[in-house]
Amino acid sequence: MLAALERITLHATRALSVVGLVALMGLASMTLLDGLLRWLVNRPIEGVRDLGGLAIAVAIACCLPVGLVERGNIAIRLGASVSAGLGRVLDAAAAIVVAVVLAIAAWQFWIYADKLSRARETTFVLQIPVAPFWMGVDAILWLAVLVQLVVALRDVARVFRP
């Protein structure tokens, strides 16, 4: 059952990472077009810098869950230094710690997005409200917490497997 849940999680997070890729490609296209217009006709695109920071935040958040489910994060493997059973226990403990740290980060992003919303913060040039973008980033981070919990459950199950 956990293997099926992890497989579903993998497919969902890969689809989400495509959203991040589209955000990065959109930002790259806008930046390229802005540079060309500045060079050719001395007319920049207003607001590229405004949207750039928001697009980067969304893109990074979108790619985080797939990195977690594919276990693409940096890990220290003790290998031959400890027994295989202890190695599995340490992997499970590390996965739980990652889930806790992600939950704390997601909680802090929620606080940040809430402050931006109450202050009615907008981008400098385009005057676009920024809180919805950060709330979206926060929602993706909470999704990453759920993904990491699936990974942690799988690692805990491995501890009890012979």
Side-chain angles (χ1 to χ4, degrees):
M1 181 174 137
L2 278 175
L5 182 59
E6 193 171 27
R7 204 169 31 257
I8 291 167
T9 303
L10 177 63
H11 292 303
T13 57
R14 282 183 177 167
L16 182 61
S17 69
V18 170
V19 173
L21 177 63
V22 168
L24 281 178
M25 294 301 293
L27 176 61
S29 299
M30 283 190 319
T31 303
L32 179 64
L33 186 58
D34 183 49
L36 287 172
L37 288 174
R38 284 175 190 268
W39 176 55
L40 294 173
V41 293
N42 200 24
R43 297 282 303 173
I45 300 173
E46 296 296 326
V48 170
R49 292 185 74 189
D50 281 358
L51 296 175
L54 300 173
I56 291 290
V58 170
I60 290 171
C62 284
C63 294
L64 185 62
V66 75
L68 293 169
V69 76
E70 289 183 348
R71 292 172 176 82
N73 47 330
I74 297 172
I76 299 172
R77 301 279 180 220
L78 298 175
S81 303
V82 297
S83 68
L86 180 58
R88 288 191 301 269
V89 169
L90 292 174
D91 286 345
I96 292 167
V97 169
V98 169
V100 169
V101 169
L102 273 173
I104 292 168
W107 171 54
Q108 290 300 310
F109 269 85
W110 178 80
I111 291 171
Y112 177 66
D114 185 54
K115 285 180 183 177
L116 290 175
S117 178
R118 281 196 249 147
R120 294 191 171 110
E121 192 76 30
T122 62
T123 59
F124 185 70
V125 175
L126 298 176
Q127 298 298 304
I128 298 171
V130 296
F133 287 91
W134 288 105
M135 288 177 184
V137 166
D138 185 52
I140 296 166
L141 287 177
W142 282 111
L143 174 68
V145 170
L146 292 176
V147 166
Q148 185 59 29
L149 287 174
V150 170
V151 170
L153 283 173
R154 188 87 194 265
D155 286 350
V156 168
R158 284 189 184 122
V159 168
F160 299 106
R161 195 175 326 138

